[in-house]
Amino acid sequence: MIQITGLTKVHRGGGPPVLLDLTFEARPGAVTALLGPEGAGKSTALRLMLELERGRGVTLFAGRTYRRLRRPEREVGVLLSGPVDAPGAADLAGHPGRKARGHLRMLAAAVGVPARRADELLERTRLAAVAEQRLRAYSPGMHRRLALAAALLGEPGTLLLDAPTEGLSPRNVEWFHAFLRSFAADGGTVLVTTRTPQEASQLADRVVTLDRGRMAADESVTEFRRTRLSPEVAVRGPQMARLADLLAGQGAQVRRDGGTELAVSGVGRTEIGELAYRHGILLHELADRVVERPAPRADLRVVASGPGRPRTPEAAAAPVPEDARAATTEQAEQAERAERAERAERAGQVGQHDRTVAMPVARPRALAAAARDAEPAPTLALPVAPPPAGGSSALTAPVASAAPGPRRGARAVTRRAVEAAEAVEAVGGPGEAAGTAWPGRRGGGRREDETSPVVAVDRLFRDGLTGLARSAQAPAAASKAEAHERPGEAADGLLGDDTVRLGRVTRPQPDRADRPAPDRPVPHRSASPGAAPAGPVVPVTSDLRSE
Amino acid sequence: MRVLAYELRRVRGLRSTWLLLGLVVVCDAVVAGVLAGQVGDRTLGGAAAVRLLTAAVPLVPLPFAALGAGVLGALAYGHEVRHRGLAASQVSYPRRVRLLTAKLAVTGALAALLALVTLLIDAVTVHFALPAGVTVAAWSDPAALSARVAEALAQSGPGGLVDVLPPVAAPLALVAGQGAPAALLAFVLLVVVAGWTGVLTAALTRSATAGVLLLCALPPLLESAVALVLRQSGTPWPARAAELLPFPSGIEWAYGWVYGGDGRVAGGGVLSAAPALTDPALLAAAVAPVLVLLLVTLVVQARRRAL
């Protein structure tokens, strides 16, 4: 078990922090991957954990810092990718003039284990045959395996590996993966860094994504696969335009890759093949592949006091726990947000300007009333809106269309429909049919909703109601006014939503109850539990609590 | 104990160690042979004999053996920095100090061995290379010889060699009659000190190359400093040494002073060497730099995170 808390590193000369408040855990029996591009701070994080560099934050290996471990080699095996101050020797496990067996025996003496342990490890890392060769004859893969053997000399229960498979041949990579998986399966704790999402998804049970020193996401590998990797089918052939039309008709998403290639998602390979066969379309290639989606970007806005100004290290490094954590969670949401926006567009009629309807819900009663008086259009919009039945069918449509997509989409859209109905009720619209319709649907939503972030609901709620507003053909002027209002609010909303989500993760019940209504323009952090809006909003909060 | 075992394995497992040791011994022997061949005098004085045995060459800051020991020491540390085996095992300060101590111990022992071996080899070489007709002062008094040799070897290390290698031990006695054991002991000490200095300078600079360069730069610097100290303390320092400052008298400084610092004096009459070695000022002059370096290294290590 490695507990990493608040690792922060700022260079003395200033500049943005190399690492900012990295907090996560690596559990026994699992492989944890630290994923990030070059320069994201992975190696720095590892070196900080071992206290090889000066920095802030605490890392506990079974309750002790590395420096305080009685016999560190017996508890933590370390494989670093070469010392920073000697770049030439980066990939070497030891002195090039030494023989592998002698090298390991020497290290065994340092660790305090019998020399035959070195021979065992040479067998285990498949180096026994070349144990009498000098290290300068070793390939990078052999060097890396030898370094791993050295790290394993003390039979540690924890492994800390910095890019163990970087630059290795596929066979070596495979060997490393198998080894690390089995090490974790035996109950060991493994923490590796990697640059490629594919490797992280193959190797790890838990993936922590770093972006420019900030934690962008900390998720299980299944979630990681869903959010960062998506399967698609590559199709090549001479008649791609026609196939693209056919596939689009089937509800697949088709992207053109050059003149003769399509990237299709949403439809299986076999279906595409059959479709092509039935329509007599010639195919040259039909292959599954995995596409990587862009990594979530760390949101630097929260630490804007840091990077922007000329600052002292203090200012930049001072960990503001809540904000920083909010930032990381927030960032984890960004990919989803993008996805959601896309899906919202896809959902057809659902437009952009829900605010007219949503606002009254969010505001305290007096405000809402004032708003109703001041802006007749939104309140009128609902009564004029299509009859409840029509409304509810319009709301279910997105659900259906989103069904082929990932689960979260469907779930979110369901929730959106629920919330929309709720809002209809809260505003006092003619919600009889909607009201009867939605409890069942809410049940469905709840079933799926075990892990769904509240943020998603909030965001989609806005988008969802827009549909209503638009279908009611609300006056353009009103919607334009709302559009003006939007950016600032959106920013506040992001911050607030994530805070809310964070709260929900730690203390599920109370925070959910406290959760302010979605479109409240003030930052949610400032909302105290007692300040829950009264009046028309009450049903909303109580419903949420019941969830 | 573990670090000692580690360090021994480390030194043993490297080819460069053995190459370096061999190179030093061969160099020493060759230089000693050449110097012996150039001896023109009919009688070989004590100082000249010591110079032959230690293969001292003017203008080289340190004798070969000392230089070799220094390089070994510097490499011992430089390798640790450059090719460290266990990435993070030296994070805690006590462990680093322990490793440093082990390195000093192993390097010191190795340096002492190297000094003795070079002395032996050089003695053999000089014995064979001396031109015919040159008489060594020590030879003329065979009665005292065996006692002197035994004393010399007992003082400078393994006494059992007398029985094992009589032909080798005999040439060694060519300086025995001149109070040479003390000089040779000083030589051994110098080599050991050079080895430690190598380790410590490399520890300060975290680089074997820089460590060796610093080691070579130290004697000329120290020479002037020591001269200054001796002058201040009132100890008679030969005027000649001051004249020859800063550089060429390095060798004289190193073990010339055991004879009183003057070859002519040493050649003319037999001076007792014991007082020179036990002279606290001189002892301090030889050991102080290492102690200072050690202190600085320990302080610097406390500020570091790794070796």
Side-chain angles (χ1 to χ4, degrees), chain B residues 2 13 35 70 76 86 102 114 129 133 153 182 196 201 212 218-219 239 276 288:
Chain B
R2 279 186 289 140
L35 285 181
L86 293 170
L114 177 67
L153 289 180
W196 285 344
T201 48
V212 170
L218 268 182

Side-chain angles (χ1 to χ4, degrees), chain B residues 16-273:
Chain B
S16 61
T17 307
W18 305 112
L19 283 179
L20 196 63
L21 290 179
L23 192 70
V24 166
V25 168
V26 167
C27 257
D28 247 26
V30 167
V31 168
V34 169
L35 285 181
Q38 288 172 346
V39 170
D41 290 344
R42 284 290 134 195
T43 56
L44 190 62
V50 166
R51 230 169 270 156
L52 278 186
L53 275 192
T54 56
V57 183
L59 286 179
V60 174
L62 285 169
F64 286 119
L67 212 54
V71 172
L72 265 185
L75 284 181
Y77 201 98
H79 283 169
E80 209 66 50
V81 173
R82 200 174 160 80
H83 310 285
R84 101 185 65 173
L86 293 170
S89 59
Q90 308 298 340
V91 169
S92 82
Y93 183 63
R95 290 171 70 94
R96 268 179 286 150
V97 171
R98 243 176 285 155
L99 183 62
L100 194 65
T101 317
K103 282 193 185 304
L104 287 179
V106 170
T107 309
L110 208 59
L113 266 179
L114 177 67
L116 291 177
V117 168
T118 45
L119 280 183
L120 282 178
I121 301 280
D122 288 355
V124 173
T125 318
V126 168
H127 177 63
F128 287 115
L130 269 184
V134 174
T135 55
V136 179
W139 285 131
S140 49
D141 187 10
L145 191 67
S146 58
R148 295 280 190 172
V149 168
E151 184 197 355
L153 289 180
Q155 251 183 324
S156 57
L161 280 178
V162 186
D163 305 326
V164 183
L165 299 166
V168 176
L172 189 67
L174 74 156
V175 285
Q178 310 289 330
L184 296 185
L185 203 59
F187 172 73
V188 174
L189 183 71
L190 178 76
V191 173
V192 171
V193 163
W196 285 344
T197 311
V199 175
L200 295 174
T201 48
L204 281 179
T205 55
R206 287 176 64 90
S207 148
T209 318
V212 170
L213 288 180
L214 201 55
L215 171 71
C216 291
L218 268 182
L221 293 177
L222 278 180
E223 180 190 348
S224 47
V226 166
L228 203 66
V229 165
L230 287 184
R231 202 177 297 140
Q232 291 294 324
S233 67
T235 315
W237 178 264
R240 188 177 145 264
E243 283 166 21
L244 288 177
L245 284 179
F247 195 67
S249 64
I251 304 298
E252 291 300 323
W253 172 79
Y255 36 101
W257 42 257
V258 179
Y259 281 98
D262 197 333
R264 282 168 305 177
V265 177
V270 177
L271 287 184
S272 168

Side-chain angles (χ1 to χ4, degrees), chain A residues 92-289:
Chain A
L92 305 186
H95 191 278
R98 206 181 286 281
K99 293 172 183 168
R101 194 183 303 277
H103 176 74
L104 269 194
R105 285 190 171 176
M106 169 186 92
L107 295 178
V111 173
V113 295
R116 65 169 184 284
R117 173 101 182 114
D119 300 335
E120 276 173 38
L121 280 169
L122 283 172
E123 294 282 346
R124 218 170 138 193
T125 50
R126 298 198 206 154
L127 288 172
V130 287
E132 290 304 324
Q133 302 299 312
R134 297 194 187 277
L135 295 193
R136 71 165 58 86
Y138 272 35
S139 73
M142 289 150 90
H143 268 293
R144 211 65 64 80
R145 291 207 302 264
L146 186 61
L148 181 69
L152 290 171
L153 270 174
E155 295 181 65
T158 303
L159 278 183
L160 229 62
L161 313 163
D162 192 3
T165 57
E166 187 100 5
L168 297 191
S169 67
R171 261 187 78 183
N172 273 311
V173 170
E174 198 178 314
W175 183 86
F176 256 93
H177 283 187
F179 179 85
L180 294 178
R181 296 290 329 162
S182 72
F183 186 89
D186 290 345
T189 311
V190 182
L191 178 59
V192 297
T193 68
T194 176
R195 263 159 51 175
T196 55
Q198 275 84 358
E199 184 180 22
S201 78
Q202 284 163 20
L203 180 60
D205 299 306
R206 188 145 197 96
V207 182
V208 177
T209 311
L210 278 183
D211 176 35
R212 287 166 293 164
R214 280 92 174 161
M215 188 160 84
D218 177 5
E219 53 204 350
S220 69
V221 73
T222 47
E223 188 155 349
F224 174 77
R225 282 201 192 112
R226 211 176 54 223
T227 54
R228 288 290 302 282
L229 302 174
S230 63
E232 65 175 33
V233 184
V235 190
R236 272 193 322 120
Q239 296 166 280
M240 282 304 105
R242 198 169 147 225
L243 184 64
D245 288 344
L246 288 169
L247 284 169
Q250 300 265 315
Q253 283 131 55
V254 182
R255 178 164 56 80
R256 302 209 67 130
D257 260 4
T260 60
E261 188 168 343
L262 291 182
V264 185
S265 57
V267 175
R269 200 180 32 166
T270 45
E271 282 88 24
I272 297 175
E274 281 172 17
L275 192 72
Y277 176 74
R278 267 190 271 120
H279 293 82
I281 295 173
L282 176 67
L283 294 185
H284 289 159
E285 184 191 344
L286 185 61
D288 280 326
R289 69 180 176 195

